Amino acid sequence: MDYLVNKSVNFDIANYKFYKKFTNDGRNAYLFDELNDLTVGTWNVTVIFEGDDNYYPCNATATITVLPPSSSLTIDNVNTTVGHEVTLVANVNSTELINEGVVSFFDGETNVGEANVVDGVATLTYAPETAGEHQISAIFSSDNYGSSNDTALLTVTKADVDLNIDYINDVYFTNPSNFA
């Protein structure tokens, strides 16, 4: 006999949301779509059967951890010259357009700045001071999305130097015959 079929079960999610469900033929009650609007974090869930004429009331408590949606980050290799600015661009993607969070940019181990993510993009202007190949890293962080990172190569060439002489004092020759 299926005495527990079609019994009322209450779900209390952290004193925040309450749902009343009924047991099915397998004597189970489920929440599915009701959980979609929970924010990232850990939620205490209490399931309560209030009892009836044949059964005593009972309850059980568990936790649900809602993880943030994953993200992915990409940056491209770029080139510049010592002392010239270059724009570092990080593209941050998820299942929906990201308009929050911060991307931290690093030249090797040195943090060279941070930029907010707007429409899935974070940009930072940077002027490297030394020539050579630099490993650039970008790290995305947010309260509502999983973190992600990527690395790229920044190739910095030596800068040209223009040398001008604006003024020369008088020049004296000690032995003018040497210049004949």
Side-chain angles (χ1 to χ4, degrees):
M1 294 176 82
D2 289 324
Y3 296 110
L4 295 175
V5 172
N6 204 31
K7 298 292 182 178
S8 174
V9 177
N10 296 312
F11 290 84
D12 173 0
I13 301 175
N15 293 319
Y16 169 70
K17 296 198 175 266
F18 300 92
Y19 299 99
K20 184 174 200 165
K21 296 291 185 169
F22 291 91
T23 57
N24 61 19
D25 292 346
R27 298 176 292 225
N28 299 304
Y30 298 98
L31 290 180
F32 289 111
D33 294 333
E34 297 85 355
L35 300 176
N36 287 338
D37 61 347
L38 292 179
T39 58
V40 172
T42 301
W43 296 84
N44 291 319
V45 178
T46 302
V47 181
I48 304 161
F49 173 63
E50 294 178 349
D52 63 12
D53 293 341
N54 297 312
Y55 297 96
Y56 289 109
C58 64
N59 63 62
T61 301
T63 59
I64 296 174
T65 301
V66 179
L67 300 174
S70 63
S71 70
S72 64
L73 182 145
T74 57
I75 57 174
D76 293 326
N77 295 335
V78 289
N79 301 311
T80 192
T81 303
V82 169
H84 290 91
E85 292 183 338
V86 64
T87 301
L88 304 175
V89 179
N91 294 294
V92 185
N93 298 296
S94 186
T95 55
E96 56 191 36
L97 186 63
I98 296 178
N99 277 303
E100 67 174 74
V102 172
V103 173
S104 300
F105 292 91
F106 292 84
D107 182 347
E109 299 292 320
T110 303
N111 185 329
V112 295
E114 295 181 340
N116 292 325
V117 177
V118 177
D119 293 333
V121 178
T123 60
L124 179 76
T125 302
Y126 173 53
E129 297 176 357
T130 59
E133 292 186 343
H134 299 244
Q135 181 174 316
I136 298 296
S137 302
I139 302 171
F140 170 68
S141 59
S142 165
D143 291 337
N144 295 308
Y145 293 91
S147 63
S148 54
N149 61 74
D150 193 19
T151 59
L153 187 63
L154 169 60
T155 302
V156 183
T157 58
K158 293 180 180 181
D160 290 329
V161 176
D162 291 329
L163 181 60
N164 294 313
I165 299 174
D166 291 333
Y167 179 76
I168 297 179
N169 286 332
D170 293 333
V171 177
Y172 299 97
F173 296 101
T174 57
N175 186 353
S177 62
N178 289 339
F179 294 100

